[in-house]
Amino acid sequence: MIDHMTLHVRDVERSIAFYTAALAPLGYVVKTHHEPTLGFGVDDGTPHSDFYVSPLDEGAANSVPNNAANDAANGTAEQPHGQSSQQPYAPTHIAFLAPDRAAVQAFYDAALAAGGHDNGTPGPRPYHAGYYAAFVLDPDGNNIEAVVDWSHDAGFAVPIKTAQ
């Protein structure tokens, strides 16, 4: 089970504004302040955050460390003074659970209004029966999704609490 994750971004202030707006329809609020990192979580009366936005380390804005397997494959496993080879910044995909299709639509609309870019309008997807989602690229090009819990159709529903 995952407790929390951190997304490193190039412009933390721009991304915090984006995620504050985009995640509000899903019941997310800023809950934790570890400046300049902020934690978001469902407004459930607890201090627990499960999604953090933090700036990339200085010098990492355009690259991330290559892993050891790739280093070995490309012949760069041994770097002087403990340095690793670099590869371009790799965007990621994060899916947030939505309580219903209306929340997926509201996420999509809010994310676009906050500067996101369409990467898949709200609608059913062929991944699983009942899968309904929308995709938006955040300011760093990360693919952010809001999805209805398709397991409801299979009888495996888990209640979702959102802010009222």
Side-chain angles (χ1 to χ4, degrees), residues 9-20 53 138-140:
V9 298
R10 291 182 179 99
D11 182 336
V12 73
E13 291 169 4
R14 176 182 66 182
S15 292
I16 287 169
F18 171 80
Y19 283 105
T20 298
V53 175
D138 78 356
D140 284 292

Side-chain angles (χ1 to χ4, degrees), residues 17-26 102-117 136:
F18 171 80
Y19 283 105
T20 298
L23 297 180
L26 304 179
V104 171
Q105 182 69 53
F107 155 83
Y108 179 79
D109 294 340
L112 293 180
H117 298 281
V136 177

Side-chain angles (χ1 to χ4, degrees), residues 4 15 30 51-52 56 67 83 89 91 109 120 128-129 145 156:
H4 65 275
S15 292
V30 174
F51 176 66
Y52 289 83
L56 281 171
N67 67 36
Q83 297 172 351
Y89 172 80
D109 294 340
H128 306 286
E145 174 184 4
F156 301 109

